[in-house]
Amino acid sequence: MNKRWLEVSVGLMLVAGVGALLALALQVSGSHLTRGADQYPLEALFDNAAGLAPKARVTLAGVTVGEVVAVGIDVPTLMARVQMQINGDVDYLSLDTSASILTAGLLGEKYVGLSVGAEEDVLVAGDVIEDTQSALVLEELIGQFLLNLGDSK
Amino acid sequence: MINFIASMGSALIYRLSLMGRALIMLVQAVTVMPSPKSGARLIQQLYVVGVQSLIIILVSALFIGMVLGLQGYTLLAAYGSEQAVGQMVALTLVRELSPVVAGLLFAGRAGSALTAELGLMKATEQLASLEMFGVDPLHRIVAPRFWAGIISLPLLVAIFSLVGVYGGHLVAVEWLGVYSGSYWGNMQQAVDFNGDVMSGMIKALVFAFLITWIALYQGYACVPTSQGISAATTRTVVYASLAILGFDFILTALMFGGA
């Protein structure tokens, strides 16, 4: 066995292994090397945030512009307070932007959909979105449907 | 009755003394000052243990990824959510299959070779003659092989995961027509680097330790005859496989089982 070839092949294996780990980080788990640098926080208050979890997408016109960081209870109002991080280059969300909790597919993951309003002024870091639409809860929907059935008789 | 209990006790003491001997061998082999020539020996062993296991790892990773893609697609298509095949393939591979399957293959490919090599060295009295020269066979023979195993298996597991994910991509996207964007997108959303990829790498490290330790001790302590070597090689593969599967359950329970 040629000693040169031995060293080269071992070196190649090391490079391949470390490279595979790096590729797993970037391609498979979607980490970014420069992350969190230019994002700003926004909050939204929902009556019901059922099924929304941290790391869920925040979209504008179907394009992902940020992610949910935390979901908790807002104490005086007892509504669901959803904290989001929006990408820094998305700096054109008007003050009357509305947020709704949507579902990808019938049984898919929940995500936050933003739609921009007509105001001139834009939301800045730390602002709270007031105009919200809650998550669709299947049980409540079925309950309402049954109630309507009963009424119409 | 007393005899029965006594025989159980003596069996336990015998097992414990074997484990103690294995531990002493390991500690003596590992606690050694690296000499200038140990780097060259380590590279030699990295070649034997790591590079020569690459082919079997690559081929099996590709096929396992392809099978996962195919099975996942048919299973998920029944619920109309075949886009989730990417995250299923990646999570299955990264968390479980890569460390376990690569570990089992590594035990069969590299572990058995280590045991047979050491056993033959013992049978042909090479270990004894090294001691005659005043060279400690633990430092000279066992230590580089141990470190080569510890370094190789995590690298092989990382390669296994990546090749498997691309195998799944080959079947799910190229053949069955899942949209490539949802394959990678769902995967990137579901897989967490610290939680999933690094857990797999920790498993790989633990398995590497177990496999190399078992293989080296079985070779070092084998009966130096042809039957003894063959029995020791068999024991290496059996014990290492059982250790991998048992520890995999414990590690999974610790990493993913808790609330």
Side-chain angles (χ1 to χ4, degrees), chain B residues 112 115-116 119-120 222-223 225-237:
Chain B
S112 60
T115 305
L120 200 67
C222 78
V223 180
T225 59
S226 42
Q227 287 102 328
I229 295 171
S230 101
T233 313
T234 311
R235 274 201 303 274
T236 293
V237 177

Side-chain angles (χ1 to χ4, degrees), chain B residues 128-213:
Chain B
S129 41
L130 273 181
E131 268 178 280
M132 293 269 284
F133 292 136
V135 177
D136 189 342
L138 284 174
H139 294 174
R140 178 72 182 247
I141 305 292
V142 174
R145 284 164 177 75
F146 176 77
W147 289 117
I150 295 281
I151 295 169
S152 295
L153 187 55
L155 295 174
L156 293 174
V157 166
I159 296 172
F160 192 106
S161 296
L162 192 70
V163 172
V165 165
Y166 275 97
H169 182 268
L170 201 66
V171 167
V173 177
E174 309 290 339
W175 180 23
L176 295 169
V178 174
Y179 174 52
S180 178
S182 29
Y183 185 84
W184 293 115
N186 277 328
M187 183 187 300
Q188 290 171 359
Q189 196 132 54
V191 179
D192 178 41
F193 184 72
N194 288 327
D196 296 318
V197 179
M198 285 327 272
S199 304
M201 297 314 287
I202 291 170
K203 279 185 180 178
L205 208 59
V206 173
F207 296 165
F209 176 81
L210 290 169
I211 296 165
T212 7
W213 184 20

Side-chain angles (χ1 to χ4, degrees), chain A residues 5-103:
Chain A
W5 158 243
L6 196 106
E7 286 170 350
V8 168
S9 61
V10 170
L12 281 179
M13 185 191 70
L14 288 177
V15 171
V18 175
L21 197 61
L22 201 67
L24 283 176
L26 295 178
Q27 176 77 315
V28 175
S29 64
S31 324
H32 300 290
L33 293 178
T34 57
R35 189 180 187 167
D38 56 340
Q39 284 187 322
Y40 64 94
L42 278 187
E43 293 189 352
L45 292 174
F46 291 94
D47 288 329
N48 190 334
L52 193 69
K55 293 199 86 175
R57 286 181 300 145
V58 177
T59 64
L60 176 67
V63 180
T64 304
V65 295
E67 65 173 23
V68 172
V69 206
V71 180
I73 295 288
D74 185 56
V75 168
T77 60
L78 295 187
M79 290 166 82
R81 173 184 289 273
V82 174
Q83 296 176 344
M84 301 171 281
Q85 286 285 342
I86 309 293
N87 294 345
D89 52 342
V90 184
D91 53 0
Y92 35 74
L93 299 175
S94 66
L95 268 185
D96 54 348
T97 293
S98 69
S100 40
I101 298 179
L102 305 170
T103 313

Side-chain angles (χ1 to χ4, degrees), chain B residues 53-129:
Chain B
S53 308
L54 263 178
I55 297 293
I56 189 174
I57 292 286
L58 288 176
V59 172
S60 49
L62 188 67
F63 278 107
I64 283 183
M66 282 162 62
V67 166
L68 279 177
L70 196 54
Q71 290 280 17
Y73 180 86
T74 41
L75 192 72
L76 291 166
Y79 301 97
S81 48
E82 59 268 23
Q83 284 81 18
V85 69
Q87 75 196 59
M88 200 205 92
V89 169
L91 282 180
T92 321
L93 277 170
V94 163
R95 284 186 180 177
E96 282 299 329
L97 276 184
S98 295
V100 171
V101 175
L104 292 174
L105 291 171
F106 188 75
R109 168 67 186 75
S112 60
L114 285 179
T115 305
E117 191 188 13
L118 247 72
L120 200 67
M121 281 184 181
K122 190 176 180 186
T124 53
E125 296 180 342
Q126 293 180 47
L127 295 183
S129 41

